[in-house]
């Protein structure tokens, strides 16, 4: 059960200011809560604020059906859980493709994540000023996206 005050705080959260991004479109990684992964390179899949930054970046790096060039051109990958940005990844310039046609971004960096969504409290892990700005801009905001898969594409401007 979620306390009423928390629901109110979340419903009042500002939408992600995507118009401040430099690309016309940004990919959004839509994840679930962290669950154990039976994979050699990671113990978890999904998001949990209790994971260490190293475990979290591995839990969020996955093999997705996506347009890798479009993901890379956005220069940032907001990670959402139930429509709220809970983490931000950058370092998307290089990708790999597996035999199932899915793509991974092995150089992806975690620039920050939410430790408490209701407050919100964040942990910034960015090493560069640009990555820090992106994390501060997006973490804890609302970001609605629609897709049949894990990756959705959202225009950064509402202008037609």
């Amino acid at each position: 059960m979620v306390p009423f005050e928390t629901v109110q705080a979340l419903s009042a959260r500002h939408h992600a200011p995507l118009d401040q991004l430099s690309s016309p479109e940004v990919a959004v990684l839509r994840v679930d809560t962290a669950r154990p992964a039976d994979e050699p390179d990671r113990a978890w899949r999904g998001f949990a604020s209790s994971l260490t930054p190293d475990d979290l970046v591995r839990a969020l790096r996955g093999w997705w059906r996506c347009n890798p060039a479009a993901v890379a051109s956005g220069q940032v990958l907001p990670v959402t859980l139930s429509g709220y940005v809970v983490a931000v990844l950058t370092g998307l310039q290089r990708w790999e493709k597996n035999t199932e046609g899915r793509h991974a971004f092995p150089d992806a960096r975690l620039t920050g994540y939410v430790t408490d969504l209701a407050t919100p409290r964040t942990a910034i892990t960015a090493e560069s000023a640009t990555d820090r700005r992106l994390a501060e801009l997006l973490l804890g905001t609302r970001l609605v996206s629609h897709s049949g898969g894990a990756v959705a594409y959202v225009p950064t401007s509402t202008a037609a």
Side-chain angles (χ1 to χ4, degrees), residues 15-30 64 66-80 85 87-92 105 133-135 137-138 141-147 150-158:
H15 288 275
L18 298 180
D19 60 336
Q20 294 185 34
L21 300 177
S22 60
S23 63
E25 179 180 74
V26 65
V28 177
L29 176 60
R30 300 155 9 113
W64 313 306
C66 66
N67 176 339
V71 172
S73 71
Q75 301 174 11
V76 62
L77 185 62
V79 179
T80 62
V85 179
V88 175
L89 299 173
T90 60
L92 309 164
F105 297 84
R133 184 188 76 78
L134 289 169
L137 181 70
L138 297 171
T141 61
R142 295 172 83 179
L143 180 49
V144 177
S145 60
H146 304 284
S147 173
V151 178
Y153 303 92
V154 178
T156 58
S157 172
T158 57

Side-chain angles (χ1 to χ4, degrees), residues 65-119:
R65 291 195 188 283
C66 66
N67 176 339
V71 172
S73 71
Q75 301 174 11
V76 62
L77 185 62
V79 179
T80 62
L81 179 65
S82 299
Y84 295 93
V85 179
V86 294
V88 175
L89 299 173
T90 60
L92 309 164
Q93 295 77 15
R94 185 172 72 89
W95 60 84
E96 299 172 352
K97 183 177 179 180
N98 69 12
T99 57
E100 298 172 7
R102 296 173 184 260
H103 295 86
F105 297 84
D107 301 328
R109 298 182 303 271
L110 179 68
T111 64
Y113 61 99
V114 171
T115 60
D116 180 343
L117 186 58
T119 307

